[in-house]
Amino acid sequence: GQQVMQIPQYQHVQEGEDFTTYCNSSTTLSNIQWYKQRPGGHPVFLIQLVKSGEVKKQKRLTFQFGEAKKNSSLHITATQTTDVGTYFCAGPVRNSGYALNFGKGTSLLVTP
Amino acid sequence: DTGVSQNPRHKITKRGQNVTFRCDPISEHNRLYWYRQTLGQGPEFLTYFQNEAQLEKSRLLSDRFSAERPKGSFSTLEIQRTEQGDSAMYLCASSGAGGYTFGSGTRLTVV
């Protein structure tokens, strides 16, 4: 079935190092969304990408949507301990209006 | 804007009992979603409303599950004859034009 796959599953970095998580879909996506979930918390919307090849930045976070609209990435420059959490990508459920398929997420641990 | 509110925060129930959860979305949002999340997994789609109309249901939503959104405002999710496999975090979200705003969830434990 339609899925979004994320790698890596876990990433442990030293504070100040960079971090990247990748999201891949077996089908073309009309858009992709990214969410962050802190330990014990709920997912919080970060961004939506719609256009092929789109790149958006939020401070130290850079989001990319692939040219074929089948993959996406989130890159964090110079991680901080506040970046700890699980990052999920989500793409629309096929033939759905607004329901989303979430990946399994990448859990980021940052040690000082 | 008080965000998405879910009640109760935690529910422990015996296997076979019925449970009902409530979600109050952001008032300006006409779309409301229910998701289920288990440890180490991303949220899994259960069902979605636009105003009071239930537009989609996942195959995960067995006949023991029912959701309502009377008058297009708050929503309830009922699970009948609970099973241990129903233990999970049940997340409600609402949206307008952009991404979802999730509530804090209801953690269900079936013993």
Side-chain angles (χ1 to χ4, degrees), chain B residues 13-75:
Chain B
T13 191
K14 291 185 178 180
R15 190 176 54 181
Q17 297 294 306
N18 300 344
V19 294
T20 300
F21 312 140
R22 177 179 170 124
C23 172
D24 288 89
I26 293 173
S27 56
E28 297 82 20
H29 289 174
N30 61 352
R31 289 184 284 275
L32 184 149
Y33 313 83
W34 286 98
Y35 281 77
R36 181 176 70 186
Q37 188 176 28
T38 53
L39 195 62
Q41 302 294 316
E44 296 174 295
F45 170 68
L46 293 177
T47 190
Y48 142 59
F49 292 84
Q50 180 147 328
N51 301 313
E52 68 274 12
Q54 188 173 15
L55 295 187
E56 292 186 56
K57 292 194 289 187
S58 161
R59 57 185 165 79
L60 292 175
L61 210 69
S62 75
D63 56 6
R64 295 185 298 106
F65 289 69
S66 62
E68 294 182 343
R69 191 183 183 195
K71 303 179 182 177
S73 56
F74 71 92
S75 176

Side-chain angles (χ1 to χ4, degrees), chain B residues 5-12 19-23 89-90 104-108:
Chain B
S5 177
Q6 290 190 246
N7 288 288
R9 292 293 304 274
H10 304 274
K11 178 70 177 179
I12 300 175
V19 294
T20 300
F21 312 140
R22 177 179 170 124
C23 172
M89 176 72 83
Y90 289 83
S104 298
T106 294
R107 181 168 296 283
L108 173 66

